[in-house]
Amino acid sequence: MRNEERDRFDALLEGVLQDLPGAVHAVLEEAPLIVTDEPSPELLEELVEIEGMDLDPGDPSELAGLHTGVAITDRSLEAAGELPSSVQVFRLGVIAAAGGWDSPDADERVAEQIRITILHEIGHEMGLDEDELDELGYG
């Protein structure tokens, strides 16, 4: 990814974050937001082999976001000392899901996909599954 594209994406991300309600920011204090260009090949392989996700491990643009860790609804006292949850956003996957940079409304589409991706992954932090997120419009 070129620096110009990364800067463009990150500026849109900052705008999206500013518009999100305080409750979302509170969740992101506990499950930090990590933004990278793309998932590693090892992560994609793990998601396919261990988690059974329907992804092409050779195409990092298929994954826009990922929640790692234990959802709030599944935590227990025995889990004390485990690594905290995190919300990951992958620039290439978000851009691909939004249709790329070529359309006249690309910035709006990418910003909306950033918002959807963040809220989708926060939904997992709150214990929602894929079907529940689809029903809410964050699929």
Side-chain angles (χ1 to χ4, degrees):
M1 172 173 265
R2 296 183 326 235
N3 285 336
E4 300 82 30
E5 291 174 303
R6 189 174 295 112
D7 291 345
R8 184 177 178 186
F9 183 97
D10 290 351
L12 294 170
L13 172 67
E14 288 299 319
V16 168
L17 289 173
Q18 287 177 357
D19 291 342
L20 291 174
V24 171
H25 289 274
V27 172
L28 292 175
E29 289 292 322
E30 299 297 320
L33 178 64
I34 301 167
V35 182
T36 58
D37 287 348
E38 61 188 47
S40 69
E42 296 81 17
L43 176 58
L44 286 174
E45 282 288 332
E46 180 181 325
L47 293 173
V48 170
E49 291 178 14
I50 297 172
E51 301 294 328
M53 291 180 74
D54 185 24
L55 296 169
D56 176 356
D59 185 2
S61 71
E62 283 193 11
L63 188 62
L66 182 67
H67 168 263
T68 56
V70 179
I72 288 172
T73 55
D74 295 333
R75 292 186 190 151
S76 68
L77 291 176
E78 290 83 33
E82 290 184 10
L83 291 174
S85 295
S86 67
V87 171
Q88 297 178 58
V89 171
F90 303 108
R91 291 180 186 98
L92 289 177
V94 169
I95 294 164
W101 291 121
D102 294 333
S103 67
D105 63 343
D107 283 4
E108 292 81 15
R109 293 169 58 128
V110 170
E112 178 62 11
Q113 189 60 49
I114 291 169
R115 187 183 73 78
I116 289 169
T117 301
I118 291 171
L119 294 176
H120 178 101
E121 302 310 333
I122 287 175
H124 286 311
E125 174 68 5
M126 300 317 224
L128 299 175
D129 65 24
E130 293 297 328
D131 291 335
E132 292 166 319
L133 290 165
D134 284 343
E135 287 177 25
L136 293 171
Y138 299 115

